[in-house]
Amino acid sequence: MNSRSAFLLILIFGFLITGLISLNGAIIALSIPLLVYFGVAAWYSPAPPRLVARRTLPLEAVFPETPVELNLYLKNNGEDLQEVWIEDQLPAGLTVLEGETSRFLPLPVGEEVRLSYVVTGGRGDYRFTTLQVHYRESAGLFEGKIPVQASHRLMIRPRPRPLRPIPIRPPQTRGFAGPIPSRQGGVGVDFFLVREYQPGDPMRRINWKVTAREEQNLFTNLFEQQRVADVGIILDAREPGYGGASNNPLFEYAVDAAASLSETFLKDGNRVGMLVYGAGIDIAFPGAGKIQRQRILQTLARARLGSNFALESLSYLPTRFFPPRSQVILISPLQPHDPEVLITLRAHGYQVLVLSPNLIRFEAGQVTPDSPEELAQRIAQAERRFALQKLRRAGIQVLDWDVRMPLEQVLRQVISLRPLLRRGIGTPA
């Protein structure tokens, strides 16, 4: 029943009571058509329907702002339904470009209806759960509403940007061929050292200039082996570091940078792990190949800014997630107490690289010149420069990233070609 049927009942009883009190049969007769109308509607009132729904998505994992066509099918396995209002419930953050998400129609038994529409949205993990179905008979006096389960998932992942190969020099490498110098002699392209000739050494590697100085011994050139390494990427998702705003656009730059860096290192054959550190800890354990790429992008799709008093400091980083003496990359605007933790991490043998999006420059356009806010920004910028200089003195490579400049351009400008060839990113100057 609804408000319309309640009003009709009140009207029927009103006529009956008024007619009985006044002993007027004409007034009582007025209630008879209404009573018949109500009885017929009650006879045809629909029973709770048995509905089955399903969704289809041509692509379950797409990039931001990509149109995706979604089809929703609803089938009636119960009795005939005279009037049905189907209303799909979209997750927050999705926008309908075309099509319809609701429809009003009759639904006979065994019939299936389809809703088709195109949505788009930003990065995120969108979960479709239920749709609401309102049903009633043609008189509109008896109606009901039931949720119908139609679960599905749309993963909108960050789009990795193409970057040039980034040379790194972690203290320890893995036993597979790759692009990273391993500080061990063997087969490679870069000269490593000269040693005495051993049986089995190729003749073309004999250093004849050194051999000419000796009367009996031969000497062989040894090259540095190139291998793959373990790379751990930490995405800082702590809300206070981004100005306390849960929807700060600067975080999207950090997510895109994490996706681009992981893509670059995976292409080189390295083992890459991803750790999102914010309201909680979301981890993609170290791995290599295309499957690992999917895991990392899914982890980044779920990344959200948040606050957690238990994780407000980097001191609680799960360092066992990173293999010993591996390369660690932190993407963070940095908070006041972060440098001490990073210096400790460097002292434990990890090679640390910090990519720090500059929140102060990002928000500089919102401040008027010669205002107290501008003075506060200048002070904050000076404190930031001091913290970054402290990290550099500890042997940590730091990139102060103004996000108005593409990441590829920042890497080219801040890190010159000659130091890259000599020692790679992360090696103390």
Side-chain angles (χ1 to χ4, degrees):
M1 295 180 59
N2 54 20
S3 59
R4 186 181 302 178
S5 57
F7 175 76
L8 185 60
L9 285 177
I10 293 174
L11 193 61
I12 292 173
F13 282 108
F15 282 139
L16 290 175
I17 294 174
T18 304
L20 292 174
I21 293 176
S22 62
L23 300 178
N24 190 338
I27 298 179
I28 296 176
L30 289 176
S31 65
I32 296 176
L34 300 179
L35 190 59
V36 172
Y37 179 78
F38 184 84
V40 172
W43 177 264
Y44 287 103
S45 62
R50 293 189 302 161
L51 303 174
V52 178
R54 59 186 176 91
R55 300 180 190 269
T56 60
L57 284 173
L59 297 174
E60 295 187 1
V62 297
F63 294 121
E65 309 307 329
T66 302
V68 179
E69 183 181 3
L70 190 147
N71 295 304
L72 173 64
Y73 299 89
L74 181 67
K75 185 175 182 180
N76 183 9
N77 291 332
E79 300 179 357
D80 291 342
L81 298 176
Q82 298 177 0
E83 294 182 358
V84 174
W85 174 258
I86 306 170
E87 184 180 9
D88 197 6
Q89 297 180 337
L90 296 183
L94 292 180
T95 303
V96 180
L97 297 180
E98 59 182 44
E100 54 183 356
T101 60
S102 60
R103 186 183 297 179
F104 184 77
L105 74 169
L107 191 60
V109 58
E111 185 173 331
E112 185 177 62
V113 63
R114 185 187 74 163
L115 294 181
S116 180
Y117 51 91
V118 178
V119 298
T120 185
R123 178 190 60 84
D125 186 6
Y126 299 96
R127 305 293 182 96
F128 295 87
T129 55
T130 60
L131 66 148
Q132 294 293 332
V133 177
H134 303 257
Y135 59 94
R136 67 183 186 184
E137 35 73 37
S138 56
L141 297 182
F142 295 89
E143 62 181 18
K145 179 179 70 173
I146 61 170
V148 181
Q149 192 73 20
S151 300
H152 215 292
R153 181 180 187 182
L154 175 62
M155 184 77 71
I156 300 183
R157 307 170 303 182
R159 186 189 300 272
R161 310 294 177 180
L163 297 176
R164 295 181 181 179
I166 303 175
I168 55 177
R169 290 293 296 270
Q172 182 173 310
T173 55
R174 300 181 62 82
F176 302 96
I180 301 174
S182 62
R183 298 182 177 88
Q184 296 181 6
V187 179
V189 295
D190 295 331
F191 175 78
F192 188 59
L193 54 83
V194 177
R195 62 168 173 79
E196 290 188 8
Y197 176 84
Q198 297 179 1
D201 288 345
M203 295 295 294
R204 64 178 180 272
R205 294 185 184 174
I206 294 179
N207 191 320
W208 295 107
K209 291 184 178 180
V210 177
T211 301
R213 301 172 188 172
E214 297 288 333
E215 296 181 357
Q216 298 179 350
N217 297 328
L218 295 176
F219 292 89
T220 303
N221 291 330
L222 202 61
F223 296 89
E224 189 173 16
Q225 295 184 17
Q226 292 183 319
R227 296 179 176 176
V228 297
D230 289 298
V231 180
I233 301 177
I234 306 171
L235 175 62
D236 186 1
R238 295 173 297 167
E239 190 174 296
Y242 295 85
S246 60
N247 57 349
N248 195 319
L250 185 66
F251 182 64
E252 296 303 320
Y253 288 95
V255 172
D256 290 342
S260 301
L261 289 174
S262 62
E263 179 86 359
T264 300
F265 288 117
L266 285 173
K267 282 184 178 180
D268 289 339
N270 300 295
R271 279 207 336 157
V272 180
M274 179 65 64
L275 187 149
V276 180
Y277 191 84
I281 296 178
D282 197 1
I283 291 177
F285 288 96
K290 294 183 179 180
I291 295 179
Q292 181 65 11
R293 176 181 183 269
Q294 301 299 327
R295 292 172 181 166
I296 289 177
L297 292 180
Q298 289 178 6
T299 302
L300 292 176
R302 297 190 297 266
R304 290 288 181 270
L305 287 175
S307 297
N308 189 333
F309 291 110
L311 301 177
E312 60 183 4
S313 171
L314 289 179
S315 302
Y316 303 104
L317 275 175
T319 54
R320 291 188 178 182
F321 171 74
F322 311 107
R325 299 167 61 81
S326 62
Q327 177 73 52
V328 175
I329 301 176
L330 172 66
I331 304 174
S332 169
L334 295 178
Q335 297 188 38
H337 300 290
D338 291 347
E340 288 77 9
V341 179
L342 295 174
I343 293 173
T344 302
L345 196 64
R346 179 72 179 87
H348 288 167
Y350 292 99
Q351 200 68 270
V352 182
L353 167 65
V354 177
L355 176 62
S356 182
N358 196 318
L359 176 64
I360 302 172
R361 290 181 183 174
F362 182 72
E363 298 181 344
Q366 306 174 9
V367 177
T368 56
D370 300 327
S371 64
E373 290 80 7
E374 183 190 18
L375 177 60
Q377 279 194 349
R378 293 171 61 184
I379 296 175
Q381 189 66 28
E383 293 177 347
R384 176 180 171 83
R385 285 196 298 268
F386 175 77
L388 298 185
Q389 186 63 30
K390 185 178 181 181
L391 291 174
R392 292 189 180 101
R393 289 173 182 171
I396 297 175
Q397 183 73 38
V398 181
L399 301 183
D400 188 5
W401 182 24
D402 185 352
V403 296
R404 294 173 296 183
M405 186 179 299
L407 180 59
E408 172 72 18
Q409 188 175 351
V410 172
L411 293 173
R412 289 201 307 266
Q413 290 185 358
V414 177
I415 307 173
S416 61
L417 181 60
R418 186 174 179 181
L420 283 178
L421 294 177
R422 185 175 69 249
R423 60 181 180 270
I425 296 178
T427 302

